[in-house]
Amino acid sequence: MEIASIADLPLYNADLDLPAAKERPQAVTAFRNILAKGDGFLIVSPEYNYSIPGGLKNAIDWASRGEDSPLLHKPAAVMGATPGMWGTVRMQTAFHQVFQFLDMKPVQKPEILIAQATTKFDANGLTDEKTIALVRKKLQGLKDLIQSLQQKK
C-alpha cells in the first residue's frame, strides 16, 4: 500500500492538462504515476459541506482526465470519519457518481461511516473494536475484488 499525497497538486486547470498543454504539471504527473501503479484504491476522507472535500475532489479531477486516467475501471473503497453524527454518508454518496463516470468497481459493503470519531480514536489510531472489525472487512472486500478482477484478465 502506498499513500498518494494530494498536498502539492495545483487547482485543476484544463489549460494545464493534456491535450491543451504539452505536459501536465510535475506534481500532477507524479501523483498520476503513483495511482497508475495501484491495483485498487482506498479513499479515506472527512466530509465537507455534505460532499467530497475540495482538495480531494481536485485530486480526483486531475487523476480522472484523459484516456490514460489511472482510475479507469479500478476497484475502490471509501471510508470516512467525522466528529458529527452522520459519519460522512453524503461524501461517500457523492463518490457514486465519480465511480460511475470512471467505470470504477466500488466495494459497497460494509459502509464505514465513523460518526463521533473523537470517541473512537486516540493518539495511536482507531480504538473502537466494532469499527476496527468493519474496517478489516472492508479492506478484505477490496483485496478480494482486486484479486477477482486480476484472475479474469
Side-chain angles (χ1 to χ4, degrees):
M1 185 176 282
E2 185 173 352
I3 296 174
S5 174
I6 63 174
D8 295 329
L9 295 176
L11 291 176
Y12 183 77
N13 179 339
D15 292 338
L16 301 177
D17 202 357
L18 306 177
K22 291 182 181 180
E23 61 183 36
R24 295 178 172 112
Q26 192 280 327
V28 172
T29 299
F31 176 68
R32 288 172 62 104
N33 288 342
I34 290 171
L35 296 180
K37 293 187 292 185
D39 294 319
F41 303 105
L42 173 64
I43 301 166
V44 182
S45 176
E47 176 178 293
Y48 293 166
N49 300 321
Y50 290 175
S51 193
I52 301 167
L56 178 55
K57 180 62 171 77
N58 181 62
I60 298 295
D61 289 344
W62 274 116
S64 66
R65 301 294 190 222
E67 293 178 11
D68 62 337
S69 169
L71 302 177
L72 286 172
H73 317 293
K74 297 275 183 88
V78 179
M79 55 180 82
T82 180
M85 293 298 294
W86 286 90
T88 70
V89 68
R90 291 181 178 112
M91 176 274 295
Q92 293 190 40
T93 300
F95 265 105
H96 291 269
Q97 295 169 319
V98 174
F99 293 155
Q100 182 179 8
F101 177 76
L102 294 167
D103 194 24
M104 294 179 81
K105 313 300 182 214
V107 176
Q108 303 288 3
K109 300 286 183 177
E111 294 176 307
I112 309 298
L113 308 161
I114 304 173
Q116 299 179 322
T118 55
T119 66
K120 297 177 181 170
F121 289 85
D122 66 15
N124 297 314
L126 187 58
T127 59
D128 183 73
E129 291 301 324
K130 286 183 180 180
T131 305
I132 290 169
L134 288 172
V135 168
R136 285 187 176 132
K137 189 173 182 179
K138 181 84 163 196
L139 292 173
Q140 186 64 51
L142 179 59
K143 180 181 176 182
D144 292 347
L145 179 58
I146 289 168
Q147 289 174 338
S148 171
L149 293 172
Q150 287 175 339
Q151 289 173 358
K152 290 179 182 179
K153 287 184 181 180

